[in-house]
Amino acid sequence: MKPFTVRLRFHGDLNVFLGSKAGDALIQRRFAEKTSIKDVIESCGVPHPEVDLILVDGRTVGFEHTLANDAKVEVFPVQNRGTDRKEKRLQITGIARFVADGHLGGLTRNLRLLGFDVAYDQNADDRELLEVMARENRALLTRDRRLLMHAIVQHGYWPRSQNADEQTIEVIRRFDLSELIAPFTRCLRCNAPLEEAAKPEIIDKLEPLTKIYYDQFRRCPACKQIYWSGSHFPKLQKRIEEIRSRVRSKA
Ligand SMILES: [Zn+2]
C-alpha cells in the first residue's frame, strides 16, 4: 500500500513523554502499512493509559481505530477535562485501588497513609505486576513507560515527579481521589485495613511509656502491627494536611 503521513499534536503535559519542553508538541510520522492509533501514539513515546481523548481529522476515536491514509491526530491527556468538549473519554477517574512498581515505595507508603489500597512488592517483576493489576482490577502506577504501554493495561499512571509527595498529589488529582482520603485506616507495612484494638488485648505488646500515655490503638489484622498516635503523629498529620491543601490548590 501507499505510504502515508500522520501528523500528531500532543496536548497538555503529554509533552513530557516527547522530550519537548513547553507547549503543545507536533510530531510527524510516516507509515507503510495499516497501523492502529494506539501503536501510532505509542511510537511517539506516549503510553495509552495517559491518553484520554483522540481526535482523527476532528472525529473522536478509540484505541482500536486504524489509520491507512494521511491523517491529522490530536491527543489529549486526562488533565484537560473541564473544557467544553463533550466527547466520550477513554480513561476513567475514581479508581482507588492500585498496584505500584518496586521503585515507588515512598508513593505507596503515602497513599496507604491516606487510606488507599496499594499492592506493593519491592521485588515483583513486570509479569507479576501485570498479573496483580488484572486479577485484582487495579490501576498500575509505574515510572516504566514501556510497561504502561503493555496491551493488557487499561488504567495506569506514570508519575511525572521523582519525589514521593509530589507523586502522591499527582495520583490524587489524576484519579480524583480527594474526597476519598481516610488517613490512618490502612497498614503502612502490608496494606490491610486497620481494626480498632482494645488496650487490654494488646497491652503486653506495648513499651512501658506507651502503656502509660496512650489509650487508643489500632491493629493490623494481617501483620499484627500496632498503631497509636505517638510522637510521630503530629508530623504525619502535618504532611497529610500539606498534601490535602496542595491537591486543593490547582497548581
Ligand atoms: Zn499490616
Side-chain angles (χ1 to χ4, degrees):
M1 68 181 287
K2 196 167 132 274
F4 57 98
T5 304
V6 180
R7 288 188 180 80
L8 301 106
R9 186 180 291 280
F10 289 90
H11 293 264
D13 75 348
L14 290 180
N15 59 22
V16 298
F17 298 104
L18 312 170
S20 65
K21 287 279 175 281
D24 297 346
L26 195 63
I27 287 189
Q28 192 165 306
R29 283 270 190 281
R30 295 271 292 165
F31 294 91
E33 53 188 37
K34 207 170 153 178
T35 309
S36 79
I37 190 78
K38 173 181 180 290
D39 290 346
V40 171
I41 289 170
E42 293 192 331
S43 78
C44 303
V46 180
H48 68 277
E50 295 284 347
V51 173
D52 200 25
L53 176 68
I54 308 166
L55 303 178
V56 175
D57 297 324
R59 202 165 57 87
T60 312
V61 301
F63 291 119
E64 71 294 339
H65 183 82
T66 55
L67 298 177
N69 298 296
D70 290 355
K72 259 178 144 166
V73 178
E74 309 248 5
V75 187
F76 295 84
V78 178
Q79 68 180 42
N80 269 34
R81 285 189 184 174
T83 62
D84 50 358
R85 295 192 176 279
K86 296 284 190 287
E87 293 91 344
K88 188 172 170 343
R89 299 298 177 132
L90 296 167
Q91 303 301 331
I92 57 171
T93 60
I95 300 173
R97 285 161 62 79
F98 303 97
V99 55
D101 82 27
H103 302 290
L104 297 175
L107 171 61
T108 297
R109 210 180 143 79
N110 276 353
L111 288 173
R112 286 177 180 171
L113 179 66
L114 298 172
F116 296 111
D117 178 349
V118 186
Y120 177 78
D121 172 358
Q122 201 179 354
N123 302 311
D125 61 24
D126 290 356
R127 188 182 49 80
E128 288 163 333
L129 288 170
L130 295 176
E131 257 175 35
V132 171
M133 176 202 73
R135 188 178 62 230
E136 301 177 6
N137 204 13
R138 296 172 179 274
L140 176 63
L141 303 174
T142 179
R143 289 267 305 165
D144 177 352
R145 74 168 89 170
R146 288 278 144 205
L147 185 60
L148 211 50
M149 288 180 189
H150 200 290
I152 195 179
V153 179
Q154 275 197 299
H155 309 297
Y157 181 75
W158 185 83
R160 273 62 168 160
S161 175
Q162 310 243 29
N163 170 279
D165 284 5
E166 298 293 332
Q167 292 173 340
T168 307
I169 292 160
E170 288 180 28
V171 170
I172 292 169
R173 283 190 183 146
R174 159 64 185 84
F175 293 97
D176 200 11
L177 301 175
S178 54
E179 299 298 315
L180 301 176
I181 292 173
F184 309 112
T185 56
R186 194 168 288 275
C187 182
L188 301 182
R189 294 209 310 197
C190 79
N191 196 43
L194 299 180
E195 294 174 345
E196 301 285 338
K199 194 171 179 180
E201 288 170 26
I202 53 163
I203 195 153
D204 57 323
K205 307 229 167 30
L206 302 176
E207 302 290 329
L209 286 178
T210 310
K211 273 183 206 175
I212 297 169
Y213 288 116
Y214 299 97
D215 292 311
Q216 296 205 322
F217 298 90
R218 286 180 175 182
R219 180 172 45 187
C220 173
C223 76
K224 309 299 176 200
Q225 174 83 3
I226 296 166
Y227 293 86
W228 67 94
S229 43
S231 54
H232 59 290
F233 190 72
K235 228 173 117 185
L236 285 178
Q237 268 189 320
K238 190 160 167 271
R239 257 179 84 207
I240 292 168
E241 265 328 298
E242 268 170 28
I243 290 172
R244 274 190 150 142
S245 73
R246 291 276 315 280
V247 168
R248 278 194 298 264
S249 70
K250 287 279 175 201

